[in-house]
Amino acid sequence: MTNNKPVKIVETVLRDGPQSLTATRMRTSDMIPVLEQLDNVGYHALEAWGGATFDACLRFLDEDPWERLRTVKSHLKNTPIQMLLRGQNILGYNHYSDDVVREFVHRSVDNGVSIIRIFDALNDTRNLEASMRAAKEAGAHVQGAIVYTISPYHKAEDFLHLGEELVQMGADSICIKDMAGLLSPYAAEELVRTLKSKIDLPIDLHTHFTSGMGDMTYLKAIEAGVDIVDTALSPFSCSTSQPCTESLVATLKGHERDTGIDFDGLHDLADYFRQVKTNLANEFHLNTNIPIDPKVLTFQIPGGMLSNLLNQMKEMGTADKYEEMLAEMPKVRADLGYPPLVTPTSQIVGSMAVLNVALGRYKMIPKEVKDLIAGKYGRTPGPIDPELQKLAIGDVQPIDHRPADDIAPQLEEMKDRLAKAGYPNATIEDVLSYALFPDVAITYFNNHRK
Ligand code: CO
């Protein structure tokens, strides 16, 4: 069955573009002047919230992320706002209780989000249950995400089973989330064909240009019938971000799957964001000239992560073992059951590899690695190496239930704590900001809520 409908585009210039290229440093005031223009382009959605933007608003930009959401929403009449949510991690780095997850999802929708893309680092669907249920309740379009990676446990059939599970759970569309740019053009073609053959929902492909294959990957996916792709306007595209919106619009012009977007109408927007990027780079001393890095295909770790690990090694005085660390990483990943490398598993595997080359293999095992082995992040795609398991947690039996079942409700406790910190009448949005990022939220409240 061929797909001859127009390709739909999710524009990422307000979220993943800046997150990938300017360390998430884009202010709401940088967005406002062109929101109406963006709204009139004819995008399927504007990805404008979630991911790292919530943390970055509070931590670096002295902004209230909820206020940003309401402001962006107030300027959009036609185009839905899409957000990225890390399942039970919400937008933070730990697992939260179900009541916090539920409240957060409801507040997101009430403040302006229409489409919620939900993923779990391990592709453990149990970690998506609470957020998907809440998003359905709140009336959002729920996009269930398949985190793409390459391993003996991640064949097209495995992803199909995962996709079918997401359908069962009530997903309205399915996203293939290729956060590291690992998906090659022909693998994309096969994967999209496989998913489209059995799943009767729109399929959205999200890639990063990191390895340099992004455009080719999108084209083969489009030929295979993908419904939606994510792109960024040129100044915030390519290198570690998404492929370029204008180029894709031009590629499909006159073709049966023409996006219908006016190519010439995009230039003003691109010129505007080019200036925004220059200003942000100057103000925050950012190097936005990030080259593509095909090595990511070997190490599966995005460039930004590799430089973090190198810094970690410099601090330990073991930078000379960098090449060894690169070779160690795939071994650690295999020992840990081949988790996809995305927040937080990328840090967990990376730090373990750094320690292994510095101190000897598994001489010191951090708590996060033990927790992963103990099942506290969920089910790993493949089995954990039995010797490593023994070494890490001894005879302790890994949990085989949903990790959040062990987390008691937290919402009332957060309200109490915030009241004790001097904010007894905090809005529920402020309580949620506090639940996710207590320290930076308090700093923000002290500056703005007194
Ligand atoms: Co992304």
Side-chain angles (χ1 to χ4, degrees):
M1 189 188 66
T2 56
N3 186 348
N4 53 13
K5 292 193 212 110
V7 172
K8 294 177 179 172
I9 293 195
V10 175
E11 174 60 58
T12 65
V13 74
L14 304 180
R15 204 287 296 178
D16 208 352
Q19 183 171 325
S20 301
L21 297 185
T22 56
T24 330
R25 308 295 201 276
M26 186 189 279
R27 291 193 176 84
T28 308
S29 58
D30 297 320
M31 305 173 182
I32 291 171
V34 288
L35 285 174
E36 265 113 31
Q37 215 176 325
L38 284 167
D39 190 32
N40 289 327
V41 167
Y43 292 122
H44 172 67
L46 277 166
E47 194 199 34
W49 212 62
T53 64
F54 194 94
D55 187 6
C57 274
L58 290 164
R59 194 179 300 272
F60 304 119
L61 302 174
D62 193 32
E63 277 191 38
D64 177 354
W66 300 99
E67 184 66 41
R68 166 179 294 191
L69 175 56
R70 288 189 291 271
T71 303
V72 172
K73 177 68 183 170
S74 72
H75 290 271
L76 303 177
K77 289 190 183 66
N78 314 308
T79 317
I81 294 177
Q82 180 169 317
M83 77 170 290
L84 177 68
L85 188 84
R86 300 185 191 118
Q88 207 73 27
N89 291 352
I90 311 182
L91 303 175
Y93 305 100
N94 315 308
H95 274 173
Y96 295 91
S97 62
D98 289 342
D99 65 336
V100 174
V101 170
R102 179 171 183 273
E103 193 63 41
F104 195 96
V105 167
H106 275 266
R107 293 286 104 207
S108 303
V109 174
D110 288 352
N111 281 279
V113 170
S114 300
I115 303 174
I116 309 186
R117 174 178 295 165
I118 308 178
F119 78 98
D120 174 66
L122 293 177
N123 281 327
D124 184 339
T125 52
R126 299 171 307 172
N127 293 334
L128 307 177
E129 280 169 16
S131 47
M132 283 183 72
R133 199 184 314 122
K136 296 296 284 183
E137 263 171 25
H141 173 111
V142 181
Q143 186 170 81
I146 294 169
V147 172
Y148 181 77
T149 190
I150 298 169
S151 92
Y153 298 92
H154 294 91
K155 302 297 181 209
E157 285 298 311
D158 301 309
F159 291 122
L160 173 61
H161 294 145
L162 180 58
E164 287 174 326
E165 243 184 285
L166 295 170
V167 174
Q168 291 295 317
M169 292 167 73
D172 299 299
S173 61
I174 302 291
C175 172
I176 304 164
K177 179 177 162 58
D178 175 30
M179 61 283 155
L182 302 175
L183 182 59
S184 71
Y186 292 109
E189 181 180 37
E190 186 200 357
L191 181 52
V192 170
R193 281 233 169 91
T194 305
L195 294 177
K196 289 294 285 183
S197 72
K198 294 275 169 58
I199 294 177
D200 196 21
L201 291 179
I203 308 288
D204 184 336
L205 176 56
H206 174 91
T207 194
H208 286 250
F209 208 79
T210 320
S211 64
M213 300 189 294
D215 287 334
M216 296 184 278
T217 297
Y218 275 175
L219 193 57
K220 292 309 287 184
I222 287 166
E223 288 174 5
V226 84
D227 299 274
I228 310 163
V229 293
D230 295 7
T231 61
L233 282 162
S234 47
F236 281 90
S237 75
C238 298
S239 58
T240 53
S241 179
Q242 275 72 62
C244 169
T245 304
E246 300 98 294
S247 314
L248 188 75
V249 168
T251 298
L252 298 175
K253 202 173 167 71
H255 183 267
E256 67 171 351
R257 303 210 60 201
D258 194 322
T259 61
I261 290 174
D262 173 25
F263 175 73
D264 292 330
L266 295 172
H267 302 324
D268 280 354
L269 281 165
D271 289 344
Y272 174 81
F273 281 109
R274 192 167 296 111
Q275 191 58 50
V276 168
K277 187 171 82 167
T278 303
N279 296 348
L280 292 172
N282 290 337
E283 180 183 349
F284 293 104
H285 310 289
L286 302 166
N287 171 23
T288 58
N289 203 354
I290 308 161
I292 59 163
D293 180 15
K295 271 190 197 156
V296 71
L297 296 172
T298 303
F299 305 116
Q300 299 215 5
I301 290 233
M305 185 71 207
L306 282 177
S307 53
N308 284 347
L309 293 175
L310 181 58
N311 285 338
Q312 223 170 304
M313 299 184 84
K314 280 180 185 157
E315 278 166 30
M316 297 172 70
T318 56
D320 56 315
K321 294 189 171 168
Y322 183 67
E323 295 295 324
E324 262 177 74
M325 187 277 291
L326 290 179
E328 176 66 10
M329 205 137 48
K331 294 181 197 159
V332 170
R333 183 168 172 250
D335 290 345
L336 290 173
Y338 292 100
L341 298 181
V342 61
T343 308
T345 43
S346 47
Q347 282 86 337
I348 295 172
V349 172
S351 300
M352 191 69 255
V354 166
L355 288 171
N356 279 0
V357 300
L359 308 171
R361 297 203 83 211
Y362 303 119
K363 288 283 183 273
M364 197 201 122
I365 302 177
K367 177 174 184 299
E368 289 75 16
V369 174
K370 291 180 181 171
D371 284 350
L372 180 68
I373 292 170
K376 292 183 185 171
Y377 289 88
R379 219 180 273 126
T380 55
I384 305 274
D385 178 77
E387 274 176 49
L388 172 58
Q389 178 172 328
K390 184 95 185 152
L391 205 56
I393 61 170
D395 292 329
V396 173
Q397 193 60 31
I399 65 167
D400 59 4
H401 53 265
R402 190 182 72 109
D405 286 340
D406 293 335
I407 307 174
Q410 294 169 324
L411 200 56
E412 291 307 316
E413 186 196 331
M414 292 301 162
K415 285 180 193 167
D416 291 348
R417 277 204 226 163
L418 193 51
K420 287 204 185 84
Y423 301 94
N425 302 315
T427 63
I428 187 68
E429 284 83 0
D430 279 356
V431 173
L432 291 165
S433 298
Y434 176 76
L436 263 57
F437 300 105
D439 299 338
V440 290
I442 286 289
T443 304
Y444 180 84
F445 300 153
N446 289 344
N447 290 332
H448 298 274
R449 299 281 189 264
K450 289 285 187 198

